[in-house]
Amino acid sequence: MLKRNDYFDIGQKVNNWIQNYLENIESLPVRSQVKPGDIYGKLDATAPIEGEPFDKILADLNEHILPGITHWQHPNFHAYFPANASVESMMAENIVSAIGSQCMLWETSPVAAEMEQRMMEWLRDAIGLPKEMEGVIQDTASTATLVAILCAREKATNFKSKTDGVPPGLRVYASKDTHSSIDKAVAIAGIGTKNMVHIPVDENRAMDVIALQKAITKDKEQGLQPIAVVATFGSTSTLALDDLHAIAKVCNEEKIWFHIDAAYAGSALILEEYKHLITGVEGIDSFVFNPHKWLFMQFDCSAYFVRDVDTLIRSFEILPEYLKTKNRGIVNDYRDWGIQLGRRFRALKIWFVFRSYGLEGMKTRLREHIRLREYFDQQICGTGKYQLATPSQMSVSTFTLVPKTMDLDIENERNIKLLHHVNDRGKIYLTKTKINGKIILRMVISQTYVAKRHIDLAVEELHEYYE
């Protein structure tokens, strides 16, 4: 067992391991190459009775643990959406771990509460949300969306659902391309997935706002109660953007909660060329985006903003005697702003990244990612083997092999075979989605330190694939 005064010795060893890992990450396969059960079988079946030397633990880390890691910070990681990190963010997290605060109340960590309040203002202003909106850090957009649905439920039922139970017939609307977390939130909130209304999309994969209005009108005629619309600002499959202005108009006229899920694409709103997408949107009730996806802030860090803080607190506040403090009502106790009681000191990494990069530095990196995506599109289409599947957005491209047949099943199998081939080689990592029954591949160019040579490698890997 280590003593506190052992810290400097082992701390240096751990820092050396981290430095070596980051310097040599490109020599490792992006996606772990182990098979199911490989790691489990290498871990001892019982816990050690006696403590072991730290050097032995580090040696086993390299031998048994490292092979089972899929390297999300690898610059050739182009799958899913990233869980971005930066050196600055990582250092802040190390400090947070050393401090070890439990930040549920202002009193249990004043700096965490007040820094969180200020950092949410920095993020709000950077992306152009209205000044009246206030923010809180959630762990993920999935949690933030659940919070939004619960607030919409409580507001629509005059806060009786939390005491009397959820009444039948509440309705929530989102596009058919919305994230699965919306359906999960509706289920957890007790509204029921049969009351999750998926609205058709147009040719750009954006929500059909006319269809939305018709669905709301029909439900009201049948005695059902519309309570919320979730707009998708950057769908997971293709980064499609719903028309926020048009949806806001519907929500304002119908007097129902308007939530925007901008988990990945919301970061792009720091760029002037995308500001028009949010400028002038009226009546936003809640908005979430993830700085841990595209603003270089270590996972987990989800920025949730709400217009009506009183509704948020009334939806979640429960006040036993042991949580009462003399400062209540004059400070933000963020344990009342969401599901968690215990909270980490997440705001410090936001402060570190903003201070180190500056807003202009963040903009420069995002614009470089977008430029690299444009370069990828040019290169991949130039091979003659591939074609773009949907219009590219920001730093995301979707593509397929150029079809050889009219048979959808055959073409899907060709693209799945391609995906497995490149991922199994370990040099790059891509993922897929399905649109109208068609398998398409996704290329996400957003890893913090990605450069042109990494895109060239991806194009080379795809170019060298032979069926």
Side-chain angles (χ1 to χ4, degrees):
M1 181 178 67
L2 298 170
K3 298 180 175 62
R4 187 172 294 181
N5 58 8
D6 292 328
Y7 171 77
F8 294 104
D9 179 43
I10 65 167
Q12 187 59 53
K13 291 179 180 179
V14 171
N15 284 335
N16 289 341
W17 188 96
I18 293 172
Q19 181 175 352
N20 182 69
Y21 171 72
L22 294 176
E23 287 179 349
N24 295 285
I25 194 170
E26 291 187 45
S27 67
L28 302 170
V30 189
R31 192 190 68 179
S32 174
Q33 303 294 291
V34 302
K35 296 180 176 59
D38 283 356
I39 304 300
Y40 181 80
K42 291 179 180 179
L43 301 174
D44 292 339
T46 58
I49 302 301
E50 303 291 338
E52 300 177 71
F54 193 77
D55 286 346
K56 173 73 163 56
I57 298 172
L58 277 182
D60 286 348
L61 172 67
N62 289 323
E63 183 176 354
H64 301 315
I65 306 306
L66 195 59
I69 295 174
T70 289
H71 303 283
W72 283 71
Q73 306 313 317
H74 200 299
N76 293 316
F77 184 102
H78 306 297
Y80 304 104
F81 286 131
N84 251 348
S86 60
V87 170
E88 295 85 352
S89 178
M90 180 181 69
M91 295 305 173
E93 283 286 77
N94 288 346
I95 293 169
V96 166
S97 295
I99 294 171
S101 293
Q102 213 283 39
C103 307
M104 59 186 176
L105 301 167
W106 180 92
E107 190 165 292
T108 63
S109 188
V111 69
E114 296 190 15
M115 180 175 279
E116 182 162 343
Q117 181 177 354
R118 184 64 78 189
M119 291 305 99
M120 290 298 96
E121 292 169 357
W122 285 11
L123 287 168
R124 177 199 64 198
D125 295 345
I127 65 175
L129 288 177
K131 291 284 188 180
E132 64 266 23
M133 298 192 77
E134 297 184 54
V136 57
I137 306 174
Q138 306 284 359
D139 51 6
T140 63
S142 299
T143 299
T145 295
L146 173 58
V147 168
I149 297 298
L150 290 169
C151 287
R153 184 194 73 182
E154 291 310 307
K155 186 172 183 179
T157 62
N158 196 26
F159 301 92
K160 292 182 179 179
S161 292
K162 63 185 290 187
T163 56
D164 300 347
V166 183
L170 304 183
R171 304 284 271 182
V172 176
Y173 308 82
S175 88
K176 64 176 294 188
D177 284 1
T178 196
H179 194 268
S180 60
S181 62
I182 315 302
D183 294 76
K184 181 180 285 189
V186 169
I188 294 172
I191 296 168
T193 53
K194 73 175 184 179
N195 291 307
M196 175 74 238
V197 183
H198 292 101
I199 304 299
V201 295
D202 61 20
E203 66 277 7
N204 296 316
R205 311 300 305 179
M207 185 192 295
D208 183 335
V209 182
I210 295 176
L212 169 66
Q213 181 64 75
K214 289 180 178 178
I216 292 173
T217 300
K218 180 181 178 181
D219 283 348
K220 290 171 67 176
E221 289 172 350
Q222 295 179 351
L224 302 172
Q225 185 178 2
I227 67 165
V229 176
V230 180
T232 301
F233 188 78
S235 65
T236 301
S237 289
T238 65
L239 218 66
L241 306 172
D242 287 348
D243 186 337
L244 303 184
H245 292 80
I247 297 172
K249 184 178 180 181
V250 172
C251 291
N252 291 336
E253 290 175 351
E254 297 290 346
K255 295 181 172 53
I256 58 179
W257 192 279
F258 179 31
H259 175 65
I260 300 173
D261 176 11
Y264 176 76
S267 295
L269 292 172
I270 71 171
L271 302 176
E272 285 74 13
E273 52 267 40
Y274 290 105
K275 279 280 197 289
H276 67 280
L277 296 171
I278 193 73
T279 302
V281 177
E282 297 180 353
I284 301 170
D285 290 291
S286 54
F287 181 102
V288 63
F289 84 107
N290 292 340
H292 68 236
K293 278 188 165 69
W294 203 14
L295 280 187
F296 326 123
M297 299 169 193
Q298 206 97 352
F299 185 86
D300 53 2
C301 184
S302 188
Y304 176 68
F305 298 91
V306 64
R307 181 171 54 171
D308 183 356
V309 173
D310 288 340
T311 291
L312 175 66
I313 293 175
R314 285 186 66 186
S315 298
F316 290 95
E317 179 184 54
I318 294 177
L319 188 60
E321 186 64 32
Y322 51 79
L323 292 177
K324 293 178 181 178
T325 68
K326 65 180 181 180
N327 299 303
R328 184 163 186 81
I330 61 174
V331 296
N332 288 341
D333 288 328
Y334 284 112
R335 67 104 187 174
D336 294 324
W337 291 49
I339 296 167
Q340 291 180 306
L341 172 61
R343 307 180 80 252
R344 298 175 59 247
F345 185 10
R346 297 187 182 100
L348 189 67
K349 59 193 167 194
I350 303 176
W351 190 66
F352 264 53
V353 173
F354 263 111
R355 293 286 303 277
S356 181
Y357 277 73
L359 193 52
E360 287 303 317
M362 293 180 186
K363 293 177 182 179
T364 297
R365 284 308 297 156
L366 264 61
R367 289 187 176 118
E368 175 63 8
H369 292 165
I370 293 169
R371 188 192 69 80
L372 289 174
R373 190 274 301 161
E374 293 169 347
Y375 174 74
F376 173 80
D377 287 356
Q378 296 167 358
Q379 296 300 307
I380 200 68
C381 291
T383 66
K385 294 177 62 176
Y386 299 96
Q387 63 182 17
L388 296 180
T390 62
S392 297
Q393 294 273 19
M394 300 176 188
S395 61
V396 178
S397 293
T398 63
F399 64 98
T400 66
L401 286 160
V402 172
K404 289 183 176 180
T405 73
M406 298 295 290
D407 189 308
L408 184 60
D409 290 337
I410 291 175
E411 294 305 318
N412 282 347
E413 184 59 34
R414 290 178 66 219
N415 285 287
I416 290 173
K417 183 179 178 181
L418 160 66
L419 180 70
H420 291 330
H421 173 82
V422 296
N423 285 345
D424 289 346
R425 281 170 58 83
K427 293 185 179 181
I428 64 173
Y429 187 21
L430 306 176
T431 45
K432 61 178 172 62
T433 189
K434 182 180 282 190
I435 298 293
N436 295 329
K438 182 179 181 180
I439 294 292
I440 61 177
L441 307 188
R442 299 169 70 258
M443 177 77 174
V444 182
I445 304 173
S446 302
Q447 202 283 327
T448 305
Y449 302 108
V450 66
K452 178 177 176 292
R453 61 189 175 85
H454 303 114
I455 308 309
D456 287 335
L457 174 63
V459 172
E460 179 183 335
E461 283 290 289
L462 291 165
H463 182 65
E464 291 183 355
Y465 172 70
Y466 294 99
E467 294 182 87

